[in-house]
Amino acid sequence: MKRTLGTCYYPEHWPREIWEEDARRMAEIGLTWVRIGEFAWKRIEPTPGTFDWAWLDDAIEVLGNAGLKVVLGTPTATPPRWMIDKHPDMIAVDAEGKPRKFGSRRHYCFSHEGYREECKRIVELVAERYGPNPHVAAWQTDNEYGCHDTVISYSDAARTAFRKWLSETFDGDITALNDAWDNVFWSMEYDSFDQIDLPNLTVTEPNPAHTLAFRRFSSDQVVNFNRAQVDIIRAHTDAPIAHNYMGRETAFDHYDVGEDLEISSWDSYPLGFLEDRAGATPEHQRKYARQGDPDFQAFHHDIYRAVGRAQGNHPQGAGRWWVMEQQPGPVNWAPYNPAPLPGMVRLWTWEAFAHGAEAVCYFRWRQAPFAQEQMHAGMLRPDSVDAPAAHEARMVMEELAATPDVQFQQAPVGLIFDFDAAFYWETQPHGAGLDYFMLVLEHYRALRRAGLSVDIIRPRPSEFEGYKAILAPGLMHMTDEVKQALADCGAEVLIGPRSGARNAHFRMPVPLPPAFPGLDVTVSRVESIRPDLPVALAGGGAVEGYLEEIEGSAETILETEAGAPVAKQAGRVTYMAGWGDAKALDRLVNMLCVRARIATVKMPEGVRCRETGSERFWFNHNTTPAETPVGILPAAGVLCETLD
Amino acid sequence: MKRTLGTCYYPEHWPREIWEEDARRMAEIGLTWVRIGEFAWKRIEPTPGTFDWAWLDDAIEVLGNAGLKVVLGTPTATPPRWMIDKHPDMIAVDAEGKPRKFGSRRHYCFSHEGYREECKRIVELVAERYGPNPHVAAWQTDNEYGCHDTVISYSDAARTAFRKWLSETFDGDITALNDAWDNVFWSMEYDSFDQIDLPNLTVTEPNPAHTLAFRRFSSDQVVNFNRAQVDIIRAHTDAPIAHNYMGRETAFDHYDVGEDLEISSWDSYPLGFLEDRAGATPEHQRKYARQGDPDFQAFHHDIYRAVGRAQGNHPQGAGRWWVMEQQPGPVNWAPYNPAPLPGMVRLWTWEAFAHGAEAVCYFRWRQAPFAQEQMHAGMLRPDSVDAPAAHEARMVMEELAATPDVQFQQAPVGLIFDFDAAFYWETQPHGAGLDYFMLVLEHYRALRRAGLSVDIIRPRPSEFEGYKAILAPGLMHMTDEVKQALADCGAEVLIGPRSGARNAHFRMPVPLPPAFPGLDVTVSRVESIRPDLPVALAGGGAVEGYLEEIEGSAETILETEAGAPVAKQAGRVTYMAGWGDAKALDRLVNMLCVRARIATVKMPEGVRCRETGSERFWFNHNTTPAETPVGILPAAGVLCETLD
Amino acid sequence: MKRTLGTCYYPEHWPREIWEEDARRMAEIGLTWVRIGEFAWKRIEPTPGTFDWAWLDDAIEVLGNAGLKVVLGTPTATPPRWMIDKHPDMIAVDAEGKPRKFGSRRHYCFSHEGYREECKRIVELVAERYGPNPHVAAWQTDNEYGCHDTVISYSDAARTAFRKWLSETFDGDITALNDAWDNVFWSMEYDSFDQIDLPNLTVTEPNPAHTLAFRRFSSDQVVNFNRAQVDIIRAHTDAPIAHNYMGRETAFDHYDVGEDLEISSWDSYPLGFLEDRAGATPEHQRKYARQGDPDFQAFHHDIYRAVGRAQGNHPQGAGRWWVMEQQPGPVNWAPYNPAPLPGMVRLWTWEAFAHGAEAVCYFRWRQAPFAQEQMHAGMLRPDSVDAPAAHEARMVMEELAATPDVQFQQAPVGLIFDFDAAFYWETQPHGAGLDYFMLVLEHYRALRRAGLSVDIIRPRPSEFEGYKAILAPGLMHMTDEVKQALADCGAEVLIGPRSGARNAHFRMPVPLPPAFPGLDVTVSRVESIRPDLPVALAGGGAVEGYLEEIEGSAETILETEAGAPVAKQAGRVTYMAGWGDAKALDRLVNMLCVRARIATVKMPEGVRCRETGSERFWFNHNTTPAETPVGILPAAGVLCETLD
Ligand SMILES: [Zn+2]
Ligand SMILES: [Zn+2]
Ligand SMILES: [Zn+2]
């Protein structure tokens, strides 16, 4: 499959007169894909039960005739205003009990049965009409599940659905729930499922078992909502179905959604994300203000490739995924919205291909001079003049001509990222700021500083095969099966901190964690520490924010300056008992790579590389040229070595 | 008209026995004005429909007999508790949906029809009774519109009124509204005006056109509320009517209110405002903790002189205005409430006169030893001993004897300040902290650092006459008429950033802004930037927080160190494409003044001057003596040169 | 009475099979007390009106048979879920109007009559059954009144009760209330008590008299709630009754509650409190992260000894008090939860005994591996292995054998701490961060830096006898009787700032404060100052945050560098007119001690000492050894000198 480019287009935003010209220009640049329709419900169904298909038929025809392939989105992220009249209680409710009203987008609660039926109805109509359309070559369900904190809702509909979900989970046995949650604590025992409320607005924190269940329930509601659309679309077409996920969205289990979809895609906004969610220091934000974080996008690329593996039968390291929306210039929604350094749009595009993307679509074709996103750049300016992104896309198209098809190669290292583990950490972090996503990202950074390509993998035995090293930081819940498979998989394995620290309902197991086969390590005490009070390690590096006291006969390989063990090892398994800083993680990664006979290359600051099988890509995320093993890379430079 | 002093008095707070003595002491100091009555509704109408006028008759008589002139306030800012029983839904609602209850003041929603009728009723009664009273020489409507964030309300009354306002604005044509707002975006189109909600509690930001309309509506509600009172008062008296505005209040259009009033006045609290709203850095707050910001008061003086021009037919530079409440000592409501440096009350008073004030009234006569403002200093201590403000007022009275009447002289420079522009910036700042008020204030500071007197003017062609230079920063919406008038007015004109960046309904125009006659400049891209990432200019200074990419054939007069144009000029018009820091603005102001042949004098830090026509005033806002072109000024020093 | 140790145990959390073993191990360590039952309502009364006493009978029997004495808690802090079905409106409401729902603990409003009846019912049943039980040697009412901000509730029940309370306070005379509150201000006068709302959600701050009354009412509700339980328990047993108070809890008057209880106790969490409520700087938090603040616990020990004096007839300096919950290791609820430095659990225990504690109970026996507090350490790990606290408790037990009984000695210095004064400061601080608790704590620190033992005393004449010096900082309201008693008591007396600054209803008195007998000092003006703008004192030290201008003939003993008087003295009374920093307070304390002939010893940083009568204890709160007058103390060291 060729690597391809695309864009996102809203024919309903523009006069009919310019559609052909737009399509021609897209094709002229060399774009393959054009995504449309995902916010157009009101234009498709202006009033309940009356439909206007003509404009959409026309738009698809115009685009298709220009040689473009359409990705058709279901319009369920933006129900029209009349829908609220039909279902006034369909809107979500925030944690403080406030309604999340009509007037922007994503104004629905995933648990509302009435709205779910409306979605099935409109998706059925759209799929029936366009499933057979030869120009519609792929589908997208809804848009950015979870964006604007929309997974979790405290509505009446959610309460009802949560009670039902719990009753099913516990086979209608309230005593089983009380036991699993240990509700004897603080007299929290329930007499019936109907007494269980949502875990918001409690006097102090609710039972973490309660919170964890609600997070899992909320995730399942997204999965089911999406599946209902997929089932309908699939009945009418063989075209692949995608959803466009977001950055640092851990409120639902993307793997579960991914199991129902052919293609995983995500919306990559490197500059916006650096400002509003990458968790960076102000220094780091200044340094990369116009380039984005050097690892944040790659981390998501690898995560979403893993999500793309969830359905079907892919070789290790493989997975179908796209960038459905690529930042093309300044955006409108971050605290600060600078313009990318010239060359970065090209770099981001190539970086996606280097991580296995099939397609990169720029959001959006033309900057809309109106409404909420009027300050969001496009490939064209509002006056239809080419914006810088158009130029960089043209450059990529020229370069693409000489490159191979999408390809995959299993990386030497597997890094486990588990959404359910994120639920655990968010449920009870124990120390302010302790966050699973950041923990795994920091391990990812360390691997990348060592020049390694990485596969993100799920905590499933079948995923462990063939890696020289597997890192599984922070898996608070681990089944015996997963522990045994890690112990047996033949890879060097790094676990900890908090590995196996809780059971399936957030109980701490006894014997104490990690209780890992073949590893005599016990976490005897746990502490969270002020971030400005690092605990120095003998030999360099430190533990920051979180530290376990461990005991047991396994060999100590890292200890504090005061002599307390921090990492212990037995056979191929290493347990890390704290949150290592960059230096500590570099030491661990290097130790692991030596043991696993994985070759490493120390990357210069801001330089990263990745192998695809036949290529090795080098990227310079700096504003200045960088000296690398393959020569001097200019600012925003991309270099592709051909491997044999 | 003589420059006069006054105070604010609450006879209802004090035993009847001391009224005469109070009045005598006021007169002894030399005060002309005494404002009363504005919070006394409950004492005037103790129960619905029963009235007690005797005490107020008496108080006015006592004050009048002592030779004082009364400013009578309508009592509508503090409806009695029984009013809430009559109109439970009259209270405002905050953006989160919470009621803003009885128990302090300003507990009403401007849109509540029932409360509006109550206000007309009480104002009619008060005006009828005291309109003819010879001692009542001026009126004040309500008190501090907007104080405590009270302009915008999300009540049911506001929703109803907003729908009506929209329907009138769009002639009942919902399609016109959908088109104007581009509601096709995100399927936001409405089927009827009754579907439109207030723009709060949306899932993500509402359509900026929606927000802008709501801000304009909210402003209009204040204007109409005020006008209803003015119409009634005017039917009963020829005395001038004023309102006392606040500092940094941009939630309603003061010019619109001002068109209905003879006198503009404001409540000047230099130390409180420095702490809670001047937008200063901690360093600046420390430096001026006991003096107040050296420009903040002057800026408001000039703004409110412009508001005072809105009614009637004043020569350029003129406008009737007062300080209705002048800080006399420590206040009670800021985060920190220090005492003024000795001499500052005198300085503030003279500063107001230097900017054209007719009267300065100290708030309040005697410190009330009770209720919310018990820590608010007065001219007297609670035990009736003279507080420092009384001494400084006496000093001003002595000095006043030798000074001329209130006079005006058109300044060489006009600086446009437009409340509607503030609505635009607040609606969609695009970068955290970008604020129109601060932008204009920073231009004002630069002008004052160059020793210039400044007139604040409205964006209206008639206001442009006679200036050598006009600065119009940040006017996001500019009509063609205004653009043409600026191009033709003969002054050196500085516009940008964001000039003409939106149409009347917040749409970005095509051709792209600024689209200014005779100036070939186009803003091709816009970025907001972290404030800790200044973009250095060649030759000194920097752009901070906001920068536009501009193109066009106009001459580049400022550029970044990297060579990107930042300011361009053609003929007498200069476009500035970013938010300049102090150094950059000083460069622009000096450049402009040279071209416009305006003489400048570099002011020492903390020293400011202003001309009135026959006088040039110098003020030292420092805690230490300052060397100035007119000699050494002591701390808190005021010097008045007579011009010929 | 011997000094004793104990622990907190939840038999309902553990299998019946291990109870005997648990009891045996408690006894083996040497524990005397075991507190149980305070969260077990649901297990006692599984459904309304059906009871299961067997398990609790059994548990008490098992513990008693092991030689342990039971402290039995009433279970009213955690009503079962079915209670909410019976009384849906019993839950509290927060200041924003949001319900504080079931799902954790303390989910009740103190004002709800229905819930009060339920509490009386269950307490009657528990007291009737276990009052006669010989193993139940003490009682605890409810648990941690006020924890999680639960004193103040804005529920309908609270509103109704507040109106009743006000009506009773003002003998049903609404005019008396209007006069006392000076409601003439801002037309706030009420026509009837039924018009008075709770002082939340007002447009700007409510009348401070309103707020103060609501705080006093809320405090009284706690007192009455507690008294109802006490009256019932007392009818069935002679065992002493305690309540376990919290750290830095000033929302109710603990003295008032204490008047009904034999024993005052508190829950001491030195590390948690340092992070979340000690008001420390980050530097201080880093320095003492694993030791806790060196004065915070001692301050509470002395406060709660004073609360323990409130009932009965104790000699000066005496008072019955316990630590009911002592932190044994990392806790779960602070922003950061580090492990104590080895030795600190022992130090904390001895520190309590040094301040007169009868008993110290560790919370909790075994770490619960489930629910909200699963990360809260115990004396045992979840796997029943001894945790460090068990070892340190054993060490204390061995040391206790050789020490005398609990004893008291009146300290040379009395420091007044008054909860009602805290209500005043919180009602209107006038400057951000000005806090009565911190003011008194900082005086306490200064006394302790001088090596002094301190008695906390109430502002009551009978408490003033026998002290060489009395400090009474910040008593905003002082009756004439208290003033006269302080003037006459023979001690050196330090008052100010704000002494007597308000009357009983928050009115500022005239003549102006302090109006202290024999002291010609008048506060003529008051200012609050940015904390980063200290006012330097001549001779060293500074005033920070708050400064009064004072006048009068009393001798000036401290003045600013600019020469303004800051402290004045006449006879034995000194008035301090500002918030002194550490240096200034040290100067004042030393001056006072010289005049009062109190010997002082300058303590090294982090070292503290206290005398009990026959012993002088020294404590080293540092992580490193400290040189002291009694030799070098190791980190976390405790030394006990025997006095003769
Ligand atoms: Zn179908
Ligand atoms: Zn009339
Ligand atoms: Zn009884």
Side-chain angles (χ1 to χ4, degrees), chain A residues 236-283:
Chain A
H236 297 277
T237 178
D238 294 329
I241 312 175
H243 177 76
N244 58 329
Y245 306 107
M246 279 298 285
R248 197 173 179 172
E249 173 54 62
T250 56
F252 68 94
D253 193 325
H254 293 55
Y255 296 129
D256 288 348
V257 172
E259 288 177 2
D260 292 323
L261 298 171
E262 283 75 21
I263 295 171
S264 161
S265 79
W266 80 292
D267 296 349
S268 177
Y269 292 95
L271 305 195
F273 291 158
L274 177 65
E275 280 300 340
D276 86 346
R277 70 192 68 178
T281 62
E283 293 69 33

Side-chain angles (χ1 to χ4, degrees), chain A residues 496-499 501 523-527 543 546-550 565-566 575-578:
Chain A
R498 284 192 182 166
S499 299
V523 175
S524 52
R525 192 165 68 178
V526 159
E527 51 175 349
V543 163
Y546 180 80
L547 181 58
E548 297 163 354
E549 182 185 73
I550 50 174
V566 169
Y575 185 83
M576 172 66 176

Side-chain angles (χ1 to χ4, degrees), chain B residues 225-287:
Chain B
F225 182 93
N226 182 70
R227 184 175 300 146
Q229 299 201 8
V230 169
D231 289 347
I232 293 167
I233 298 167
R234 200 152 279 151
H236 297 278
T237 179
D238 294 330
I241 311 175
H243 178 76
N244 58 329
Y245 306 108
M246 278 299 284
R248 198 174 178 170
E249 173 55 62
T250 56
F252 68 95
D253 193 324
H254 293 53
Y255 296 128
D256 289 348
V257 173
E259 287 177 3
D260 293 322
L261 298 171
E262 284 75 21
I263 295 171
S264 160
S265 80
W266 81 293
D267 296 348
S268 178
Y269 291 94
L271 305 195
F273 291 158
L274 177 66
E275 280 300 339
D276 88 345
R277 70 192 67 178
T281 61
E283 291 70 34
H284 194 74
Q285 288 177 317
R286 276 196 298 274
K287 186 172 178 55

Side-chain angles (χ1 to χ4, degrees), chain A residues 371-616:
Chain A
Q372 281 91 332
E373 293 183 348
Q374 58 186 270
M375 297 307 291
H376 194 302
M379 300 184 77
L380 307 189
R381 303 187 334 197
D383 60 356
S384 298
V385 174
D386 276 4
H391 297 292
E392 300 200 15
R394 278 199 182 83
M395 197 178 314
V396 173
M397 274 312 300
E398 287 170 28
E399 295 165 336
L400 270 177
T403 66
D405 279 8
V406 177
Q407 51 177 309
F408 301 101
Q409 171 183 264
Q410 182 169 12
V413 181
L415 172 62
I416 296 179
F417 182 84
D418 181 38
F419 290 91
D420 196 59
F423 300 166
Y424 276 83
W425 281 69
E426 289 159 9
T427 292
Q428 198 177 72
H430 190 229
L434 297 178
D435 180 276
Y436 175 73
F437 177 93
M438 288 307 296
L439 180 74
V440 183
L441 174 56
E442 292 185 16
H443 283 74
Y444 185 80
R445 290 185 192 283
L447 293 167
R448 302 245 301 166
R449 284 193 296 266
L452 300 173
S453 297
V454 179
D455 288 342
I456 299 289
I457 56 178
R458 301 173 73 174
R460 298 197 164 186
S462 63
E463 298 250 314
F464 302 160
E465 285 163 32
Y467 291 102
K468 293 183 179 168
I470 293 179
L471 283 67
L475 274 186
M476 280 182 72
H477 174 48
M478 298 178 85
T479 61
D480 289 343
E481 184 200 14
V482 163
K483 287 179 179 177
Q484 196 63 53
L486 279 174
D488 295 344
C489 70
E492 281 294 319
V493 173
L494 175 70
I495 61 172
R498 284 192 182 166
S499 299
R502 297 292 184 280
N503 79 356
H505 295 290
F506 218 88
R507 200 182 211 269
M508 191 185 304
V510 175
L512 294 177
F516 197 89
L519 179 75
D520 182 12
V521 170
T522 298
V523 175
S524 52
R525 192 165 68 178
V526 159
E527 51 175 349
S528 58
I529 309 173
R530 297 180 57 81
D532 54 7
L533 207 60
V535 178
L537 300 181
V543 163
E544 292 180 341
Y546 180 80
L547 181 58
E548 297 163 354
E549 182 185 73
I550 50 174
E551 54 188 38
S553 64
E555 186 191 358
T556 296
I557 60 158
L558 281 182
E559 57 183 24
T560 66
E561 288 190 342
V566 169
K568 280 175 169 285
Q569 202 168 61
R572 291 207 188 79
V573 179
T574 303
Y575 185 83
M576 172 66 176
W579 186 300
D581 69 0
K583 183 79 194 296
L585 291 179
D586 284 345
R587 287 178 65 192
L588 278 172
V589 162
N590 286 328
M591 211 179 294
L592 230 64
C593 287
V594 167
R595 291 168 58 97
R597 299 170 188 267
I598 301 170
T600 61
V601 183
K602 191 170 173 353
M603 290 288 109
E605 162 78 31
V607 174
R608 293 290 181 264
C609 71
R610 191 171 195 282
E611 296 185 16
T612 64
S614 67
E615 308 150 297
R616 183 185 296 118

